[in-house]
Amino acid sequence: MELSETYACVPSTERGRGILISGDSKSDTILYTNGRSVVMLDLNNPLNVSIYGEHAYPATVARYSPNGEWIASGDVSGTVRIWGAYNDHVLKKEFKVLAGRIDDLQWSADGLRIVASGDGKGKSLVRAFMWDSGSNVGEFDGHSRRVLSCAIKPTRPFRIVTCGEDFLVNFYEGPPFKFKLSSREHSNFVNCVRFAPDGSKFITVSSDKKGIIYDGKTCEKLGELSPEDGHKGSIYAVSWSPDGKQVLTVSADKSAKVWDISESGSGTLKTTLNCPGSSGVVDDMLVGCLWQSDHIVTVSLGGTISIFSASDLDKSPFQFSGHMKNVSSLAVLKGNTDYILSGSYDGLICKWMLGRGFSGKLQRTQNTQIKCFAAHEEEIVTSGYDNMISRISYKDDQCTNEEAIDIGNQPKDLSLAPLSPDLLLVTFESGVVFLRDGKVVSTIDLGFTVTALAVTPDGTEAIVGGQDGKLHLYSISGDSLTEETVLEKHRGAISVIRYSPDLSMFASADLNREAVVWDRVSREMKLKNMLYHSARINCLAWSPNSSMVATGSLDTCVIVYEVDKPASSRMTIKGAHLGGVYGLGFADDSHVVSSGEDACIRVWSLTPQ
Amino acid sequence: MSFRSLSRPNARSGMGVADESKTTFHELQRKKTHRYVVFKIDESKNEVVVEKTGNPAESYDDFLASLPDNDCRYAVYDFDFVTSENCQKSKIFFFAWSPTTSHIRAKVLYSTSKDQFRRELHGIHYEIQATDPTEVDLEVLRERAN
């Protein structure tokens, strides 16, 4: 089993705060974090992505060393890990630097020292140390609240500048670094500080919508970004151009601006970059930026990454997006083109195409959370944590019709019968609801706690799984169910049931790590002892030719069994998704698509044994 | 004050071991007349008896097939393998087969009698305690044997 493609997650963002992304101009990659993963994305080919998942806590920043060999990344526990940028990402060193989360991390230009700033919970908020030994190279007092950003002057004489939530910009001389002076020019959180590549100036940007330019050696204020045509919202991040004559700023007013910085240190607006396709919603607020060689990268609150070309600012940018949270459902749809629909629990539905990657976000009118998801051709049915079922019809990326139906109880699982026109079965705590044509036609109380459901595409047979592990088979006539038989094998609550594409078999999986394949006609077990997971099974999928079953579990493994061979000759993918596998599908008979807690979607190719 | 010894043996059931069981094990060990032996506790005679033996031509899958799904057993299997230094070796595995689907009474009976029975079998190289089919996978044997 080999990894064929990865559709990466996007940086995790938080309203009201900026994110600091970084990159390496030699390899043209950008670095950002999502959950416990550090993502290295190739700007020229977003499908070329490498993910590091060794942090024990959510990672916050990551930065390449000046020689491009190492990456230092920090997380919310205050730990900095330094690891190799290539191949297996071997760990070099790990230091516990601060007592709280690390908000910014910078290497010195010679690659020997690292400065980290963040939340020290009252103790030290900034620390600078040697990269290989961890010994301190200075004392950093002067801040009383969270230090949001720090920067090291790239040329001699070395200086460190830090800025934070106490509205102060502090200046340290060294090494060994000592407090020199403090500047209180801003009237709100100072979000980012960056030195020009030649070290002559540095700029600080703040939530008070101002950007102030200082002299790099003496820390005297030189000028400001001109307030006319300035940003109308908090400025979250700033990045210098490689030649040091321009800066890029991004702001909560949903625009990015490029400014010319004169020798005397005053900034005049050159252009405002507006991202096309932005509909003016909160998700379009820009929270992160990076100017790397010819690429200008901006990141929005909703996770859309836009790459502009610095030499041609009027050209519309290359945009792509992805998921930020656990991708809990996946559906592989075949139509004119084969594509994958993925839904995450926060209500985001994205479309992906094999070989191309991100293909669009579904623009929904009501952004309800998604717990269960079923998709067929041009229709998606979702249920969330309220009593409503949402039916969405869509064409391309636009929703043509979206309606919500109240079924009176919290839905636990749902199944579509596309051939029996418009039949939708939804289970709730103790029974099943029949929906035809978008209306509730009957509610049946089954008398046991229901956990999972599957219905044949022609709507004649349904299987309901219970909390006790029993599978109840029903035949459907009109709007009622007649119980045919009860199958007992599972020793835990049933989590998922799926019919095979040729309808000759069905497979069920439970919370006790076991899966069973049954013959539909004889109701006998066809394949058992599928017990190789070490935690609950979350999802199950059949291959299109009905010869293989794949199961995905909380233990991060995906196991593919062949129905004709004993369960012991299985193919395992270990560590498919950090945090657990929640969605599974077969793109074709030799490719498995999986999605999980790490907000990524991966395509695996099966090599026949 | 008196301190009880820290290494107190686990509960014992007072089960006997039939002579036939011991001789069959010796045949497997010395004369290599069997590939595997499956033992069962005969409650009426209150001793461990031989239930089934397999001839040397039988495979590991045949052995697994003779272990019942819902009842406990003891078993010994003679495992032939080639080490990383390319030498042919043979090691004897003792299996305490106690599937989770079996009766609690059977599980208690077999676990309390195990130590007494094991003491009679000299020359076991490895012991495997298995509660479901995944724990008696051939991979498990390969990992343990060296």
Side-chain angles (χ1 to χ4, degrees), chain B residues 54-112:
Chain B
N55 62 57
E58 289 192 47
S59 70
Y60 189 65
D61 290 326
D62 295 323
F63 164 61
L64 288 186
S66 47
L67 291 176
D69 279 341
N70 296 320
D71 198 7
C72 309
R73 292 287 184 268
Y74 302 123
V76 280
Y77 184 85
D78 193 3
F79 183 50
D80 289 331
F81 62 101
V82 183
T83 62
S84 47
E85 288 112 32
N86 240 340
C87 43
Q88 183 77 17
K89 277 198 190 174
S90 166
K91 299 270 179 163
I92 299 181
F93 279 79
F94 177 81
F95 290 84
W97 170 246
S98 228
T100 38
T101 44
S102 53
H103 236 286
I104 183 72
R105 203 169 172 280
K107 287 189 232 180
V108 170
L109 187 62
Y110 276 79
S111 66
T112 50

Side-chain angles (χ1 to χ4, degrees), chain A residues 225-542:
Chain A
L225 294 179
S226 107
E228 53 192 76
D229 302 327
H231 280 295
K232 296 182 193 46
S234 307
I235 308 180
Y236 286 124
V238 65
S239 188
W240 287 84
S241 65
D243 60 9
K245 296 201 175 46
Q246 291 173 316
V247 287
L248 168 73
T249 56
V250 287
S251 157
D253 67 0
K254 303 163 197 150
S255 68
K257 290 186 195 285
V258 178
W259 308 76
D260 284 316
I261 307 288
S262 65
E263 275 306 312
S264 62
S266 58
T268 43
L269 178 66
K270 178 151 177 240
T271 36
T272 304
L273 302 168
N274 277 313
C275 298
S278 60
S279 39
V281 293
V282 167
D283 272 353
D284 291 323
M285 283 193 192
L286 295 174
V287 290
C289 71
L290 183 69
W291 192 326
Q292 188 165 282
S293 35
D294 186 47
H295 301 285
I296 291 184
V297 182
T298 60
V299 182
S300 76
L301 187 66
T304 307
I305 299 179
S306 311
I307 307 176
F308 295 82
S309 162
S311 43
D312 184 2
L313 288 170
D314 294 321
K315 197 167 84 171
S316 52
F318 172 57
Q319 289 185 308
F320 62 94
S321 186
H323 286 281
M324 224 185 279
K325 298 256 151 64
N326 179 356
V327 182
S328 51
S329 21
L330 252 194
V332 180
L333 293 170
K334 311 222 178 253
N336 296 335
T337 40
D338 295 349
Y339 55 95
I340 300 169
L341 277 180
S342 57
S344 53
Y345 75 80
D346 56 358
L348 178 64
I349 302 178
C350 287
K351 205 164 94 163
W352 309 83
M353 264 199 252
L354 288 167
R356 277 188 41 199
F358 182 71
S359 183
K361 238 191 245 198
L362 227 62
Q363 306 287 353
R364 296 175 62 189
T365 46
Q366 305 151 338
N367 229 22
T368 51
Q369 291 181 320
I370 298 178
K371 180 173 180 237
C372 311
F373 182 92
H376 174 73
E377 287 182 16
E378 303 275 312
E379 193 182 5
I380 301 175
V381 182
T382 71
S383 74
Y385 295 96
D386 49 19
N387 290 350
M388 315 288 246
I389 303 277
S390 292
R391 286 172 47 136
I392 310 162
S393 329
Y394 65 98
K395 196 111 189 100
D396 296 328
D397 291 336
Q398 293 298 109
C399 289
T400 49
N401 185 25
E402 197 170 330
E403 48 178 62
I405 310 145
D406 187 337
I407 61 163
N409 285 293
Q410 225 242 25
K412 285 202 140 186
D413 199 359
L414 50 85
S415 197
L416 267 177
L419 297 176
S420 155
D422 257 6
L423 172 62
L424 172 67
L425 248 68
V426 182
T427 63
F428 57 94
E429 182 81 19
S430 56
V432 183
V433 176
F434 274 73
L435 283 108
R436 280 190 203 271
D437 235 350
K439 281 186 259 307
V440 178
V441 288
S442 67
T443 307
I444 304 172
D445 189 335
L446 294 171
F448 57 90
T449 314
V450 178
T451 50
L453 168 76
V455 83
T456 52
D458 59 5
T460 51
E461 196 182 84
I463 311 177
V464 179
Q467 178 91 358
D468 50 8
K470 295 196 191 145
L471 289 165
H472 299 249
L473 269 86
Y474 296 94
S475 58
I476 301 175
S477 46
D479 294 333
S480 60
L481 299 170
T482 331
E483 182 166 304
E484 301 218 340
T485 175
V486 178
L487 299 170
E488 291 187 34
K489 168 73 177 154
H490 287 282
R491 285 167 281 155
I494 312 282
S495 55
V496 60
I497 311 172
R498 290 277 178 268
Y499 277 100
S500 64
D502 65 358
L503 297 178
S504 65
M505 302 175 273
F506 61 90
S508 53
D510 63 21
L511 296 184
N512 199 34
R513 321 178 308 273
E514 188 173 11
V516 181
V517 177
W518 309 79
D519 183 288
R520 184 181 162 200
V521 170
S522 66
R523 281 100 190 240
E524 296 283 317
M525 283 182 272
K526 239 188 132 173
L527 183 61
K528 44 185 183 148
N529 290 344
M530 297 162 72
L531 269 162
Y532 291 92
H533 280 293
S534 43
R536 57 177 282 168
I537 299 183
N538 284 325
C539 45
L540 198 149
W542 282 91

Side-chain angles (χ1 to χ4, degrees), chain A residues 19-20 104 148-150 163 186 189-194 203-206 235-239 289:
Chain A
I19 61 166
L20 300 166
D104 200 0
L148 294 171
S149 185
C150 57
C163 64
H186 284 292
F189 290 3
V190 189
N191 290 316
C192 192
V193 60
R194 291 283 177 258
I203 182 170
T204 60
V205 290
S206 158
I235 308 180
Y236 286 124
V238 65
S239 188
C289 71

Side-chain angles (χ1 to χ4, degrees), chain A residues 172-189:
Chain A
Y172 301 86
E173 278 184 342
F177 293 99
K178 278 194 300 293
F179 178 80
K180 173 87 186 297
L181 61 87
S182 178
S183 161
R184 205 200 165 98
E185 295 279 343
H186 284 292
S187 49
N188 205 330
F189 290 3

Side-chain angles (χ1 to χ4, degrees), chain A residues 143-177:
Chain A
H143 276 294
S144 53
R145 289 181 63 186
R146 190 163 150 186
V147 178
L148 294 171
S149 185
C150 57
I152 306 187
K153 182 162 174 290
T155 53
R156 286 181 188 278
F158 292 128
R159 302 276 183 269
I160 289 183
V161 186
T162 61
C163 64
E165 284 187 3
D166 47 9
F167 314 169
L168 295 176
V169 174
N170 283 355
F171 196 68
Y172 301 86
E173 278 184 342
F177 293 99

